[in-house]
Amino acid sequence: MKLVVHFVLLLLFPLNIFSQGLRFHGNESVINERTSYSVFENGSPAFTEKLVINFELSLLPPSNVGYIFRLKDTNLNTTYNLMYDNEGRENTVFKFNEEGRNNLITSIFKKEELSNCQWVSISLSFDLQQDSMTLKINDKETRIGGLNLLEKWNPVIYFGKSEHVVDIPSFAIKNVIIKDKQQEYYFHLNENEGELVHDSKGKVRGHASSPVWLINNAYYWAPRASFKSKNVAGLNFNSQTQDIYFFDKDSITFFNVRSNAVSSKKYENELPVKLKLGMSFVDKADNRLYAYEVYSEEAAEVATSAYLDLNTLMWTTESVDRLPTQLHHHNGYYDAANHRYLVFGGFGSQHYNKEFYSYDLIEKKWSRLSFEGDRITPRYFSSMCYKKEENSLYVFGGMGNDSGDQTIGRRYYYDLYKVDLNEKKITKLWEIPWHGDNVVPVRSMIMLDDSCFYTLCYPEHFSNTSLKLYRFSVKDGSFDILGDSIPIRSDKITTNANLYYNEKLNELYCTVQEFDASDISSVARVYSLSFPPISLEELSGMGKDESMLYIWGVIIAVFVLGGVCFFYVKRRAKKNTDTHDALSVVERQDEMSQQSFVRKDQSNSIYLFGEFTVRDRNNKDITYMFSTKLKQTFLLILQYSLEDGISSQQLSDILWPDKSENKAKNLKGVTLNHIRKALAELNNVELIHDKGFFKIVLSDGCYCDYKRFFEITKGENMVNNKELIEILIRGKFLKNTEDEMFDSFKLEIENKAESILQMEIESRYAQQDYQTTLLLVDTLFNIDSLNEEALYYQIHSLIKLKMPDQAKNKYLLFSAEYKKVMNENYSIGFTSLLNDNKA
């Protein structure tokens, strides 16, 4: 079988989710990486009369059995747990137990009953006065009594792994509510990073270890699967079966987005259509996949459309009828009610198309449709969707011109039309001005209501480019950009992308299909994004207080209290009446000094000091795109890029010394293409090959700390340079990069950095800026842990700051390191060091 499938199952990818919640790593992970969530980490409030615990649960593959929830009463030394068992053939079972003693409630569901739920609603209600408890799972409710409950309870509540309980399934939770009659604690679980869990008022209440915050999946597109074929192939999505189809002339692959199951099967007979563009549509009612070509140069009796019975995998010829010209990047919609397939737009024979055509599945013929009203100019690369409530098509954007003649040039359109299929009328709704790079949308767009529609757009005139998700207002065309980017290489006209919405799982799917130079072989990739998608600003704002009044109240209170405390402590420090208060001021100043030089990594940037990091134009960390070999190659080229670059032969000799010339050339080509694809996520940076040399060209707008380091150190004003300090305190140059090929590179930078730091330390100490001196000493110790000059300034700065105990401790740590490295005692005593007044 010539079709090859590469299936990707990411542990970080959750199924059946909305845009918030916490996903738990279960038994599929090693014990130390399984997720644990303690709801009240620093002590539980007291609940009286009632204790109600509500949450929503999403059940995820691959784990089928384990503990979801544990509830402890430390006063009674009693623990309850909720266990999930999905290993039976027909049923899913929940058991509520008194841990280590007996089962209290068993709740049984048919598997399909829960598999069709995106979330399962669970409620545990304890009546502390009546000594009873009710478990409600969806609409199934069970009540028990005789639990010997106390009327006051400070519950210890865990989800996932806790203490000795490590057998947990893969699941997700959201909207956790814990309450009695007087109080309520609401946890949206809409954090986006870290292990601290806030309640709805923004207060830290809980702690989660090894968490997967689902809000990120509404911003970051997750790779799901990839496919390869040596023949022309097509893709489609069947929302009814939850399958994405990837098919070519020999076989079909089914990728189920719900279960992650993937299977490839050969047809029972030959596909009668010779695929050129690989276009298709799905008839859900009859479970058929239609493959079609609007145009073919084959003989008149050769099929142009056929359908595959997805139950039997038998192809049946549908028609030989065809349109007069090819239509690259046309739009299509299957009108199941009228058994017809509608297409609009496209490009072929140096002309853009402006017509709507209908293929009748009963008559098996193409015909042109006529509409009144506004005229849509000839175009291709437009986007289209169908709105059932109105029986209307909507067409957005594209590229073409008024005449349709490709030879007179093209223009980009940012307009929206409504095509009323009942009235056979076209209405132009709006056209908006566009700023920045021109973009084209993908074939499909998603319109779920009257307010907005979603589509993916990209600047197709760049080779290495990226798709972005746009949300446009149906009313006026105003838009937002949501989610991160998806890479696409758009050299070939056959390259295409599409967007699908899965109502059952509330997910968007993007399919990208890239063809090689032959326009025959292709690679397809599938990505998913939780719906509704969010912007970077929304992602950054998640996990914070949802009440702005509450936020500002807290902020004002903190500032007022902080101001009072600061002036009080400062006054006490000046009087030297309380050493502890003085120390607090010093530590605060030290922290402020460090913060003044620590700058957050910015967008569109490359960092070599500290951990190697690359952030794209949207400030997403894309370092993961640089595998070990890509990172080696990139750094090697960058090392030589401040001069003429590195020769192709030198690159091969260093990286692939044991490979033949042809093998090294192939490996080099593949590696450089991957680097170019990664760099396409940034602006103003390019990998070029000029006169036999490879070079990374960094223009204004792309920040590289290595480049800035050399630019600053070429000048004379290196001392008291704030940006230089910011670069150096980020960390050791190429930290954790141990490849021998970079030893001389690192040594050169470290020698220069060490010299600069020694001058800077001396200058800051002379200015009595002792906090900055200590910060720079720590940075210098990262390069040379036995630097005696650094030790001198460290000890004396701490003494000046009235921190003698810390000074002695630093001396002892230095002495221990010296003994470990040099295998002898450090010869200068602490007192001698103090009495040295050379500074």
Side-chain angles (χ1 to χ4, degrees), residues 601-621:
D601 291 354
Q602 64 192 60
S603 60
N604 217 62
S605 57
I606 301 166
Y607 297 92
L608 274 64
F609 285 83
E611 296 286 352
F612 172 71
T613 304
V614 181
R615 304 191 76 88
D616 71 4
R617 60 179 66 89
N618 297 311
N619 209 17
K620 175 189 173 185
D621 188 341

PDB file of all heavy atoms in Angstrom, residues 601-621:
ATOM      1  N   ASP A 601      11.307  37.585  28.137  1.00  0.00           N
ATOM      2  CA  ASP A 601      11.603  37.284  26.735  1.00  0.00           C
ATOM      3  C   ASP A 601      10.546  37.927  25.847  1.00  0.00           C
ATOM      4  O   ASP A 601       9.348  37.809  26.097  1.00  0.00           O
ATOM      5  CB  ASP A 601      11.619  35.767  26.513  1.00  0.00           C
ATOM      6  CG  ASP A 601      12.799  35.104  27.201  1.00  0.00           C
ATOM      7  OD1 ASP A 601      13.648  35.837  27.735  1.00  0.00           O
ATOM      8  OD2 ASP A 601      12.853  33.863  27.212  1.00  0.00           O
ATOM      9  N   GLN A 602      10.991  38.591  24.802  1.00  0.00           N
ATOM     10  CA  GLN A 602      10.078  39.313  23.934  1.00  0.00           C
ATOM     11  C   GLN A 602       9.736  38.483  22.706  1.00  0.00           C
ATOM     12  O   GLN A 602      10.377  37.473  22.408  1.00  0.00           O
ATOM     13  CB  GLN A 602      10.714  40.637  23.514  1.00  0.00           C
ATOM     14  CG  GLN A 602      11.983  40.467  22.669  1.00  0.00           C
ATOM     15  CD  GLN A 602      12.746  41.770  22.518  1.00  0.00           C
ATOM     16  OE1 GLN A 602      13.180  42.377  23.486  1.00  0.00           O
ATOM     17  NE2 GLN A 602      12.887  42.218  21.274  1.00  0.00           N
ATOM     18  N   SER A 603       8.707  38.919  22.001  1.00  0.00           N
ATOM     19  CA  SER A 603       8.315  38.229  20.776  1.00  0.00           C
ATOM     20  C   SER A 603       9.372  38.441  19.700  1.00  0.00           C
ATOM     21  O   SER A 603      10.163  39.374  19.748  1.00  0.00           O
ATOM     22  CB  SER A 603       6.959  38.746  20.289  1.00  0.00           C
ATOM     23  OG  SER A 603       7.019  40.130  20.019  1.00  0.00           O
ATOM     24  N   ASN A 604       9.364  37.539  18.717  1.00  0.00           N
ATOM     25  CA  ASN A 604      10.271  37.647  17.570  1.00  0.00           C
ATOM     26  C   ASN A 604      11.733  37.749  18.034  1.00  0.00           C
ATOM     27  O   ASN A 604      12.432  38.717  17.748  1.00  0.00           O
ATOM     28  CB  ASN A 604       9.906  38.875  16.726  1.00  0.00           C
ATOM     29  CG  ASN A 604      10.090  38.600  15.243  1.00  0.00           C
ATOM     30  OD1 ASN A 604       9.434  37.736  14.692  1.00  0.00           O
ATOM     31  ND2 ASN A 604      10.986  39.315  14.596  1.00  0.00           N
ATOM     32  N   SER A 605      12.157  36.740  18.791  1.00  0.00           N
ATOM     33  CA  SER A 605      13.477  36.841  19.399  1.00  0.00           C
ATOM     34  C   SER A 605      14.164  35.486  19.482  1.00  0.00           C
ATOM     35  O   SER A 605      13.516  34.435  19.482  1.00  0.00           O
ATOM     36  CB  SER A 605      13.359  37.446  20.807  1.00  0.00           C
ATOM     37  OG  SER A 605      12.483  36.665  21.598  1.00  0.00           O
ATOM     38  N   ILE A 606      15.512  35.552  19.572  1.00  0.00           N
ATOM     39  CA  ILE A 606      16.362  34.364  19.683  1.00  0.00           C
ATOM     40  C   ILE A 606      17.351  34.618  20.823  1.00  0.00           C
ATOM     41  O   ILE A 606      18.031  35.645  20.836  1.00  0.00           O
ATOM     42  CB  ILE A 606      17.120  34.095  18.370  1.00  0.00           C
ATOM     43  CG1 ILE A 606      16.135  33.889  17.209  1.00  0.00           C
ATOM     44  CG2 ILE A 606      18.043  32.889  18.507  1.00  0.00           C
ATOM     45  CD1 ILE A 606      16.785  33.950  15.840  1.00  0.00           C
ATOM     46  N   TYR A 607      17.407  33.679  21.767  1.00  0.00           N
ATOM     47  CA  TYR A 607      18.261  33.849  22.937  1.00  0.00           C
ATOM     48  C   TYR A 607      19.272  32.706  23.006  1.00  0.00           C
ATOM     49  O   TYR A 607      18.897  31.533  22.938  1.00  0.00           O
ATOM     50  CB  TYR A 607      17.426  33.873  24.217  1.00  0.00           C
ATOM     51  CG  TYR A 607      16.466  35.038  24.287  1.00  0.00           C
ATOM     52  CD1 TYR A 607      15.154  34.909  23.818  1.00  0.00           C
ATOM     53  CD2 TYR A 607      16.868  36.262  24.807  1.00  0.00           C
ATOM     54  CE1 TYR A 607      14.283  35.977  23.869  1.00  0.00           C
ATOM     55  CE2 TYR A 607      16.000  37.335  24.866  1.00  0.00           C
ATOM     56  CZ  TYR A 607      14.702  37.192  24.390  1.00  0.00           C
ATOM     57  OH  TYR A 607      13.839  38.250  24.444  1.00  0.00           O
ATOM     58  N   LEU A 608      20.554  33.081  23.195  1.00  0.00           N
ATOM     59  CA  LEU A 608      21.618  32.096  23.375  1.00  0.00           C
ATOM     60  C   LEU A 608      22.194  32.146  24.780  1.00  0.00           C
ATOM     61  O   LEU A 608      22.840  31.202  25.214  1.00  0.00           O
ATOM     62  CB  LEU A 608      22.734  32.321  22.350  1.00  0.00           C
ATOM     63  CG  LEU A 608      22.553  31.648  20.974  1.00  0.00           C
ATOM     64  CD1 LEU A 608      21.341  32.194  20.243  1.00  0.00           C
ATOM     65  CD2 LEU A 608      23.792  31.849  20.110  1.00  0.00           C
ATOM     66  N   PHE A 609      21.985  33.261  25.481  1.00  0.00           N
ATOM     67  CA  PHE A 609      22.408  33.339  26.874  1.00  0.00           C
ATOM     68  C   PHE A 609      21.349  32.673  27.737  1.00  0.00           C
ATOM     69  O   PHE A 609      20.151  32.917  27.583  1.00  0.00           O
ATOM     70  CB  PHE A 609      22.621  34.790  27.297  1.00  0.00           C
ATOM     71  CG  PHE A 609      23.887  35.398  26.753  1.00  0.00           C
ATOM     72  CD1 PHE A 609      23.926  35.931  25.476  1.00  0.00           C
ATOM     73  CD2 PHE A 609      25.056  35.413  27.506  1.00  0.00           C
ATOM     74  CE1 PHE A 609      25.090  36.477  24.956  1.00  0.00           C
ATOM     75  CE2 PHE A 609      26.229  35.958  27.004  1.00  0.00           C
ATOM     76  CZ  PHE A 609      26.253  36.493  25.727  1.00  0.00           C
ATOM     77  N   GLY A 610      21.791  31.819  28.677  1.00  0.00           N
ATOM     78  CA  GLY A 610      20.842  31.012  29.433  1.00  0.00           C
ATOM     79  C   GLY A 610      20.378  29.849  28.570  1.00  0.00           C
ATOM     80  O   GLY A 610      21.121  29.334  27.731  1.00  0.00           O
ATOM     81  N   GLU A 611      19.147  29.427  28.779  1.00  0.00           N
ATOM     82  CA  GLU A 611      18.587  28.353  27.966  1.00  0.00           C
ATOM     83  C   GLU A 611      18.345  28.847  26.545  1.00  0.00           C
ATOM     84  O   GLU A 611      17.768  29.925  26.347  1.00  0.00           O
ATOM     85  CB  GLU A 611      17.268  27.855  28.565  1.00  0.00           C
ATOM     86  CG  GLU A 611      17.401  27.209  29.937  1.00  0.00           C
ATOM     87  CD  GLU A 611      18.023  25.822  29.861  1.00  0.00           C
ATOM     88  OE1 GLU A 611      18.203  25.303  28.745  1.00  0.00           O
ATOM     89  OE2 GLU A 611      18.316  25.262  30.928  1.00  0.00           O
ATOM     90  N   PHE A 612      18.788  28.086  25.549  1.00  0.00           N
ATOM     91  CA  PHE A 612      18.512  28.418  24.158  1.00  0.00           C
ATOM     92  C   PHE A 612      17.002  28.502  23.966  1.00  0.00           C
ATOM     93  O   PHE A 612      16.262  27.566  24.277  1.00  0.00           O
ATOM     94  CB  PHE A 612      19.092  27.349  23.235  1.00  0.00           C
ATOM     95  CG  PHE A 612      18.695  27.504  21.793  1.00  0.00           C
ATOM     96  CD1 PHE A 612      19.204  28.535  21.015  1.00  0.00           C
ATOM     97  CD2 PHE A 612      17.793  26.616  21.211  1.00  0.00           C
ATOM     98  CE1 PHE A 612      18.840  28.676  19.684  1.00  0.00           C
ATOM     99  CE2 PHE A 612      17.425  26.749  19.885  1.00  0.00           C
ATOM    100  CZ  PHE A 612      17.949  27.781  19.116  1.00  0.00           C
ATOM    101  N   THR A 613      16.526  29.646  23.489  1.00  0.00           N
ATOM    102  CA  THR A 613      15.086  29.891  23.370  1.00  0.00           C
ATOM    103  C   THR A 613      14.800  30.650  22.082  1.00  0.00           C
ATOM    104  O   THR A 613      15.519  31.592  21.739  1.00  0.00           O
ATOM    105  CB  THR A 613      14.566  30.715  24.565  1.00  0.00           C
ATOM    106  OG1 THR A 613      14.886  30.038  25.778  1.00  0.00           O
ATOM    107  CG2 THR A 613      13.053  30.895  24.492  1.00  0.00           C
ATOM    108  N   VAL A 614      13.738  30.248  21.397  1.00  0.00           N
ATOM    109  CA  VAL A 614      13.258  30.976  20.215  1.00  0.00           C
ATOM    110  C   VAL A 614      11.777  31.255  20.418  1.00  0.00           C
ATOM    111  O   VAL A 614      10.999  30.343  20.708  1.00  0.00           O
ATOM    112  CB  VAL A 614      13.462  30.165  18.919  1.00  0.00           C
ATOM    113  CG1 VAL A 614      12.976  30.969  17.715  1.00  0.00           C
ATOM    114  CG2 VAL A 614      14.919  29.783  18.749  1.00  0.00           C
ATOM    115  N   ARG A 615      11.388  32.525  20.275  1.00  0.00           N
ATOM    116  CA  ARG A 615       9.982  32.912  20.419  1.00  0.00           C
ATOM    117  C   ARG A 615       9.521  33.526  19.111  1.00  0.00           C
ATOM    118  O   ARG A 615      10.210  34.359  18.518  1.00  0.00           O
ATOM    119  CB  ARG A 615       9.785  33.891  21.580  1.00  0.00           C
ATOM    120  CG  ARG A 615      10.306  33.345  22.914  1.00  0.00           C
ATOM    121  CD  ARG A 615       9.870  34.190  24.093  1.00  0.00           C
ATOM    122  NE  ARG A 615       8.474  33.962  24.421  1.00  0.00           N
ATOM    123  CZ  ARG A 615       8.035  33.019  25.244  1.00  0.00           C
ATOM    124  NH1 ARG A 615       8.905  32.186  25.809  1.00  0.00           N
ATOM    125  NH2 ARG A 615       6.757  32.880  25.497  1.00  0.00           N
ATOM    126  N   ASP A 616       8.325  33.120  18.646  1.00  0.00           N
ATOM    127  CA  ASP A 616       7.854  33.556  17.334  1.00  0.00           C
ATOM    128  C   ASP A 616       7.264  34.962  17.398  1.00  0.00           C
ATOM    129  O   ASP A 616       7.289  35.640  18.431  1.00  0.00           O
ATOM    130  CB  ASP A 616       6.865  32.547  16.752  1.00  0.00           C
ATOM    131  CG  ASP A 616       5.520  32.542  17.468  1.00  0.00           C
ATOM    132  OD1 ASP A 616       5.320  33.372  18.380  1.00  0.00           O
ATOM    133  OD2 ASP A 616       4.671  31.707  17.125  1.00  0.00           O
ATOM    134  N   ARG A 617       6.707  35.397  16.273  1.00  0.00           N
ATOM    135  CA  ARG A 617       6.205  36.767  16.175  1.00  0.00           C
ATOM    136  C   ARG A 617       5.049  37.041  17.144  1.00  0.00           C
ATOM    137  O   ARG A 617       4.743  38.188  17.440  1.00  0.00           O
ATOM    138  CB  ARG A 617       5.768  37.064  14.741  1.00  0.00           C
ATOM    139  CG  ARG A 617       4.668  36.168  14.215  1.00  0.00           C
ATOM    140  CD  ARG A 617       4.279  36.537  12.789  1.00  0.00           C
ATOM    141  NE  ARG A 617       5.330  36.301  11.838  1.00  0.00           N
ATOM    142  CZ  ARG A 617       5.506  35.139  11.195  1.00  0.00           C
ATOM    143  NH1 ARG A 617       4.709  34.108  11.450  1.00  0.00           N
ATOM    144  NH2 ARG A 617       6.481  34.999  10.321  1.00  0.00           N
ATOM    145  N   ASN A 618       4.405  35.976  17.649  1.00  0.00           N
ATOM    146  CA  ASN A 618       3.307  36.130  18.608  1.00  0.00           C
ATOM    147  C   ASN A 618       3.737  35.805  20.029  1.00  0.00           C
ATOM    148  O   ASN A 618       2.900  35.588  20.901  1.00  0.00           O
ATOM    149  CB  ASN A 618       2.134  35.253  18.206  1.00  0.00           C
ATOM    150  CG  ASN A 618       1.555  35.663  16.865  1.00  0.00           C
ATOM    151  OD1 ASN A 618       1.281  36.831  16.626  1.00  0.00           O
ATOM    152  ND2 ASN A 618       1.401  34.701  15.968  1.00  0.00           N
ATOM    153  N   ASN A 619       5.056  35.736  20.245  1.00  0.00           N
ATOM    154  CA  ASN A 619       5.646  35.462  21.553  1.00  0.00           C
ATOM    155  C   ASN A 619       5.382  34.047  22.049  1.00  0.00           C
ATOM    156  O   ASN A 619       5.434  33.781  23.239  1.00  0.00           O
ATOM    157  CB  ASN A 619       5.172  36.473  22.604  1.00  0.00           C
ATOM    158  CG  ASN A 619       6.220  36.673  23.697  1.00  0.00           C
ATOM    159  OD1 ASN A 619       7.389  36.327  23.523  1.00  0.00           O
ATOM    160  ND2 ASN A 619       5.810  37.206  24.824  1.00  0.00           N
ATOM    161  N   LYS A 620       5.106  33.134  21.130  1.00  0.00           N
ATOM    162  CA  LYS A 620       4.995  31.722  21.503  1.00  0.00           C
ATOM    163  C   LYS A 620       6.390  31.097  21.486  1.00  0.00           C
ATOM    164  O   LYS A 620       7.169  31.316  20.567  1.00  0.00           O
ATOM    165  CB  LYS A 620       4.087  30.981  20.524  1.00  0.00           C
ATOM    166  CG  LYS A 620       4.026  29.479  20.772  1.00  0.00           C
ATOM    167  CD  LYS A 620       3.300  28.763  19.649  1.00  0.00           C
ATOM    168  CE  LYS A 620       3.393  27.261  19.811  1.00  0.00           C
ATOM    169  NZ  LYS A 620       2.815  26.516  18.679  1.00  0.00           N
ATOM    170  N   ASP A 621       6.679  30.313  22.506  1.00  0.00           N
ATOM    171  CA  ASP A 621       7.958  29.610  22.569  1.00  0.00           C
ATOM    172  C   ASP A 621       7.949  28.467  21.557  1.00  0.00           C
ATOM    173  O   ASP A 621       7.199  27.507  21.691  1.00  0.00           O
ATOM    174  CB  ASP A 621       8.175  29.074  23.981  1.00  0.00           C
ATOM    175  CG  ASP A 621       9.585  28.503  24.186  1.00  0.00           C
ATOM    176  OD1 ASP A 621      10.254  28.192  23.180  1.00  0.00           O
ATOM    177  OD2 ASP A 621       9.996  28.350  25.347  1.00  0.00           O
TER     178      ASP A 621
END
